[in-house]
Amino acid sequence: MIHKPAYVPERLALLSDLNAAQYITEGLLTGKEGVPAIALDKVVEPLPYEGARTASGPVRELVEDAMHEFQDQKSTQADAWLAPRLHATLRLSRREAADRRLWNHLALGVAPDYVVWRHGSGSKVAPDRFRGSADKQAFSRLWWMAELFRNGPDYRPVVMACGVQDVPNSLLRLDVIDHRPTALAMARLMETGTVTTGREVNALGKAVNASAATLMYDVIAPDVERDGRPVQEWIDASESAGPVPRRMLPEGPDEERAPDSSVELLADHFAELFADAPVRGRVADEDGDD
């Protein structure tokens, strides 16, 4: 059973790891209990900024729509739908998104039922889906996937990357993923069907990371110089922005896109790396090679 919160605060807030821990109970993890939201609301801190993007309502409506839309097929399809829309709804800077306290509050104070719905496997949810690292926590993993895989305002690579199981768990941990052409090249391999499973994603990530020790991706496949103004303008525009569209993708910050030549170069290189990468369960060819 999944318990819908009886009370949702009007504003997003900050919830420390220490305070969050006391509400991550066995009853919550097994779906038998909800979160005492009013009590939790007494231990949160206000966000250091104000305005429309602090409202919890748009995020709450978004997760309810996701649970309804994907009630029979949760998992990667829900991630691919929600990640770009969560990113476009919250409109955070990277510094703001790096604050774990925001994600703690979102998971426990605003949408604990979504966390149980999405990540309940077997008998219980892993605690780090409520309070955990960026690649594990239920909402931060989606926001960072959208941030790192979008191509300027274009969220289509995000949808592609989130559509393969275990991409957040495997690729968000890699230092090289902060290089846009690298991230987009890996998403392109998923788009073309070169990489289709979680095991293949793991193998690709390891191969790309190992190659980065001797090959500087940002040198052979440079990105454009990043300009912080479009992101700040996009954040400021949240005051007049309406709800994100449900049937079509929203638009992200109007940043310059990564050079397609750089993405293509790395996609070709990564495809070669992947062809030789050991993939658990891959069928051997006639010569006995993987």
Side-chain angles (χ1 to χ4, degrees):
M1 180 179 180
I2 297 177
H3 293 263
K4 182 177 179 178
Y7 163 80
V8 176
E10 291 186 6
R11 299 288 168 187
L12 301 172
L14 303 176
L15 178 64
S16 70
D17 279 349
L18 184 62
N19 284 326
Q22 63 182 307
Y23 294 100
I24 304 175
T25 64
E26 189 71 11
L28 175 64
L29 297 178
T30 56
K32 296 177 181 178
E33 300 174 356
V35 176
I38 295 179
L40 182 144
D41 204 34
K42 295 178 180 179
V43 298
V44 301
E45 303 170 46
L47 290 169
Y49 49 88
E50 300 178 347
R53 64 195 182 107
T54 69
S56 64
V59 180
R60 180 65 212 177
E61 292 170 4
L62 201 57
V63 299
E64 288 186 357
D65 287 348
M67 288 188 286
H68 175 75
E69 182 74 17
F70 301 96
Q71 56 185 318
D72 299 322
Q73 48 188 357
K74 55 190 178 185
S75 188
T76 54
Q77 293 184 58
D79 288 349
W81 185 88
L82 184 56
R85 292 169 175 84
L86 180 71
H87 186 273
T89 295
L90 290 175
R91 299 204 180 197
L92 302 169
S93 68
R94 288 192 176 189
R95 174 174 291 186
E96 291 165 344
D99 192 337
R100 286 168 51 125
R101 297 175 298 169
L102 170 66
W103 306 114
N104 290 344
H105 182 252
L106 186 50
L108 287 163
V110 177
D113 51 335
Y114 176 84
V115 182
V116 174
W117 173 84
R118 171 62 183 86
H119 294 289
S121 60
S123 59
K124 63 191 299 185
V125 181
D128 58 9
R129 297 302 188 182
F130 286 98
R131 184 194 68 155
S133 59
D135 61 306
K136 292 290 187 181
Q137 206 273 352
F139 294 107
S140 68
R141 65 195 283 274
L142 297 179
W143 192 93
W144 282 105
M145 282 293 295
E147 174 65 12
L148 295 173
F149 281 90
R150 66 180 174 85
N151 192 6
D154 184 4
Y155 285 116
R156 287 177 296 177
V158 179
V159 175
M160 190 56 57
C162 287
V164 179
Q165 190 67 38
D166 291 334
V167 168
N169 296 347
S170 301
L171 301 188
L172 285 184
R173 301 173 184 175
L174 305 180
D175 290 337
V176 294
I177 206 67
D178 194 41
H179 178 238
R180 280 199 307 172
T182 294
L184 294 171
M186 288 193 278
R188 189 159 295 184
L189 294 189
M190 300 172 207
E191 181 182 9
T192 59
T194 304
V195 176
T196 60
T197 69
R199 289 180 178 180
E200 291 176 347
V201 165
N202 284 325
L204 174 64
K206 290 176 181 178
V208 168
N209 208 43
S211 177
T214 56
L215 193 63
M216 300 181 67
Y217 298 148
D218 57 340
V219 173
I220 66 167
D223 195 358
V224 296
E225 186 173 347
R226 304 295 292 273
D227 181 354
R229 287 176 295 179
V231 172
Q232 188 56 55
E233 291 170 357
W234 181 71
I235 290 172
D236 294 340
S238 62
E239 292 303 311
S240 58
V244 297
R246 270 38 175 183
R247 296 301 175 191
M248 57 185 293
L249 283 175
E251 291 189 358
D254 191 22
E255 294 181 293
E256 187 174 352
R257 298 170 191 252
D260 197 60
S261 58
S262 292
V263 177
E264 284 288 350
L265 185 152
L266 289 181
D268 290 343
H269 176 62
F270 294 164
E272 293 176 2
L273 293 177
F274 178 70
D276 295 328
V279 179
R280 189 162 58 92
R282 179 185 279 179
V283 178
D285 63 23
E286 294 180 357
D287 295 325
D289 297 327
D290 287 342

